[in-house]
C-alpha cells in the first residue's frame, strides 16, 4: 500500500537524455520505511537494486536495467519544509523547486540550484554544482539508508564529498537533506537567479541531454577540449555534440544509448591520442 510498482517501465521516459530500455521492476515508494523494505528485500535475495531520481545525469543502456529501480518522488520524498535559515527537502524534490522555495522564504545561497535539472537525491549522490557552488557547500545533514538497511542521519562533516562524487552515497541511498542559506531580500535573490539563468541560457543547449558528459580534466574544461578537438556538431546515429557547448551530447531525434556511447567513445579516444587526457564521464552509465 506504500508503493506503486510497474513492470518493464521504459527508462527513456524517465531520463532527460530520452534514451534507455526498460527496468524490470519500477517501484515508487511513498515513505522511508517502504524504501528501506524494498532495498532490504532485494539485498537479501541478491536482486540488483538501484535508485533513479530525475534521470538528468544518467545514461541507461538500450537493454534496460535488470532488477529493481526505486524512484523516490512522491509522498515524503516530494516534501519541502523551511525551518529558520534551513530547508529540509526529500530526495525527490527538484533543485529548481528548492531554489524557488528559498526565494519565497527570503533565503539566499540557493540561486545556483535553479539551473540544476535534477532532484535532491541525485544531486547529493554526485555533489552536483554550478556557478562555482556545489551541493555539499550547503548541506547541513543528510538522512540516508545505509548499507545495512538502517535509516540514519549524519552531519555534513561526517560525509566526504568530492568534485561530482560522494562515494558513500553509492551503496547508501540519500532520503532527504537539510540545506542552509542566509536571510536576504527578494530583489537580491531574484537578481542572482536571473544572472544564473542568463549564463546558462547563453552557453548551454535546450535540446534533450544529460547535462555535462565529462568531468573537467586538469588540462582545460572538457567542453573546451571537445571543441578544440573539432567534435562540435559531429554525430553518431542520432546523437550529436551540441554546437552551444562541447560537453553536451544532445538527442535531436531518436537517438539510442548506443549512439551516445559511440560518440563518447570517439571523443575519449581522440582526447587520449591527441592530448594524452583520460576523460572521465560525469554522467552515470
Ligand atoms: N568552452 C569552450 N567551448 C565549448 C564549451 C566551453 O571553449 O564548447 C569554454 C568556455 O568558453 C569557458 C570554459 O570552456 O571558458 C568553461 O565553460 P563553462 O563556463 O560552460 O563551464 P564548464 O566547466 O564547461 C561547468 C559545469 C556545468 C555547469 C557550468 C556552469 C562541469 C563538468 N560542468 O561547466 O555543470 O553548469 O560549469 O556553472 O563541472 C553538469 O554538471 O552537468 C554541468 C553542465
Amino acid at each position: 500500500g506504500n508503493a506503486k510498482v510497474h513492470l518493464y517501465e521504459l527508462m527513456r521516459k524517465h531520463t532527460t537524455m530520452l534514451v534507455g530500455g526498460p527496468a524490470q521492476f519500477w517501484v515508487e515508494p511513498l515513505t522511508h520505511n517502504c524504501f528501506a523494505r524494498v532495498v532490504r528485500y532485494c539485498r537479501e535475495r541478491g536482486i540488483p537494486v538501484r535508485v533513479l531520481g530525475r534521470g538528468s545525469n544518467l545514461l541507461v543502456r538500450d537493454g534496460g536495467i535488470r532488477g529493481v529501480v526505486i524512484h523516490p518522488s512522491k509522498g515524503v520524498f516530494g516534501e519541502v519544509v523551511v525551518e529558520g535559515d534551513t530547508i529540509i527537502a526529500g530526495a525527490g524534490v527538484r533543485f529548481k523547486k528548492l531554489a524557488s522555495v528559498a526565494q519565497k522564504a527570503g533565503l539566499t545561497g540557493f540561486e545556483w540550484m535553479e539551473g540544476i535539472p535534477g532532484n535532491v537525491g541525485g544531486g547529493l549522490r554526485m555533489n552536483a554544482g554550478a556557478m562555482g557552488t556545489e551541493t555539499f557547500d550547503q548541506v547541513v545533514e543528510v538522512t540516508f539508508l545505509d548499507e545495512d538497511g538502517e535509516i540514519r542521519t549524519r552531519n555534513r562533516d561526517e560525509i566526504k564529498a568530492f568534485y561530482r562524487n560522494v562515494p558513500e552515497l553509492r551503496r547508501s541511498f540519500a532520503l532527504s537533506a537539510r540545506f542552509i542559506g542566509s536571510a536576504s531580500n527578494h530583489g537580491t535573490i531574484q537578481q542572482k537567479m536571473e544572472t544564473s539563468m542568463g549564463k546558462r541560457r547563453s552557453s548551454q543547449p535546450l535540446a534533450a541531454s544529460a547535462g555535462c558528459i565529462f568531468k573537467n580534466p586538469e588540462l582545460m574544461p572538457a567542453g573546451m577540449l571537445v571543441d578544440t578537438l573539432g567534435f562540435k556538431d559531429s554525430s553518431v546515429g542520432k546523437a550529436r555534440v551540441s554546437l552551444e557547448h562541447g560537453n553536451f551530447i544532445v538527442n535531436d531525434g531518436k537517438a539510442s544509448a548506443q549512439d551516445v556511447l559511440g560518440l563518447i567513445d570517439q571523443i575519449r579516444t581522440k582526447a587520449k591520442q591527441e592530448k594524452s587526457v583520460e576523460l572521465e564521464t560525469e554522467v552515470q552509465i
Side-chain angles (χ1 to χ4, degrees):
N2 280 332
K4 228 166 69 178
V5 181
H6 292 241
L7 299 182
Y8 292 98
E9 180 78 1
L10 277 176
M11 292 302 96
R12 62 176 139 271
K13 295 199 313 196
H14 295 283
T15 59
T16 57
M17 184 61 119
L18 308 180
V19 304
Q24 248 179 331
F25 298 96
W26 174 259
V27 181
E28 294 182 6
L30 300 175
T31 63
H32 288 179
N33 279 331
C34 174
F35 188 118
R37 281 203 307 277
V38 173
V39 171
R40 284 187 216 121
Y41 180 94
C42 291
R43 287 196 173 149
E44 278 160 16
R45 289 162 183 80
I47 300 167
V49 57
R50 314 187 48 163
V51 176
L52 185 153
R54 174 74 184 110
S56 58
N57 191 49
L58 184 66
L59 181 57
V60 178
R61 289 190 168 77
D62 301 314
I65 304 174
R66 205 162 51 82
V68 171
V69 175
I70 301 179
H71 180 57
S73 92
K74 303 202 175 80
V76 71
F77 298 104
E79 287 173 10
V80 199
V81 181
V82 179
E83 264 183 28
D85 56 1
T86 69
I87 304 178
I88 305 158
V93 173
R94 290 196 183 184
F95 271 82
K96 274 184 206 315
K97 168 89 176 174
L98 253 184
S100 80
V101 167
Q103 186 192 10
K104 285 195 192 93
L107 290 174
T108 186
F110 294 82
E111 295 86 352
W112 64 278
M113 294 183 181
E114 187 282 329
I116 303 291
N119 286 352
V120 163
L124 289 165
R125 162 66 186 92
M126 66 172 289
N127 194 13
M131 315 295 297
T133 308
E134 309 182 319
T135 302
F136 273 79
D137 292 342
Q138 271 173 272
V139 167
V140 177
E141 58 185 25
V142 181
T143 298
F144 60 93
L145 183 76
D146 76 5
E147 296 196 29
D148 304 323
E150 298 297 324
I151 296 167
R152 298 183 196 286
T153 298
R154 249 200 249 164
N155 290 329
R156 164 68 186 90
D157 56 11
E158 298 173 277
I159 304 166
K160 287 197 189 72
F162 304 99
Y163 168 62
R164 299 296 191 270
N165 186 24
V166 181
E168 278 165 86
L169 293 177
R170 201 172 298 160
R171 275 186 59 84
S172 294
F173 300 124
L175 302 173
S176 72
R178 184 192 292 270
F179 299 89
I180 194 159
S182 54
S184 181
N185 67 66
H186 292 262
T188 312
I189 298 170
Q190 180 70 28
Q191 212 165 18
K192 283 189 187 163
M193 268 171 96
E194 275 164 19
T195 307
S196 152
M197 245 183 265
K199 281 200 182 140
R200 184 165 42 83
R201 283 214 192 102
S202 61
S203 66
Q204 298 185 2
L206 286 171
S209 80
C212 284
I213 291 285
F214 302 106
K215 291 184 184 176
N216 282 338
E218 270 172 43
L219 181 67
M220 62 174 96
M224 191 188 279
L225 177 61
V226 174
D227 196 352
T228 309
L229 292 171
F231 272 108
K232 274 202 171 170
D233 207 32
S234 67
S235 58
V236 169
K238 297 285 181 190
R240 180 179 301 277
V241 175
S242 163
L243 268 174
E244 284 107 323
H245 196 298
N247 203 6
F248 283 67
I249 291 178
V250 294
N251 178 0
D252 52 13
K254 299 211 174 305
S256 62
Q258 208 45 52
D259 295 340
V260 181
L261 287 166
L263 200 44
I264 289 174
D265 199 51
Q266 284 187 7
I267 295 167
R268 293 193 68 206
T269 304
K270 200 166 177 191
K272 196 170 172 192
Q273 282 171 353
E274 296 191 10
K275 304 280 177 190
S276 306
V277 172
E278 291 273 2
L279 279 174
E280 240 187 279
T281 55
E282 195 241 44
V283 290
Q284 296 200 54
I285 299 174

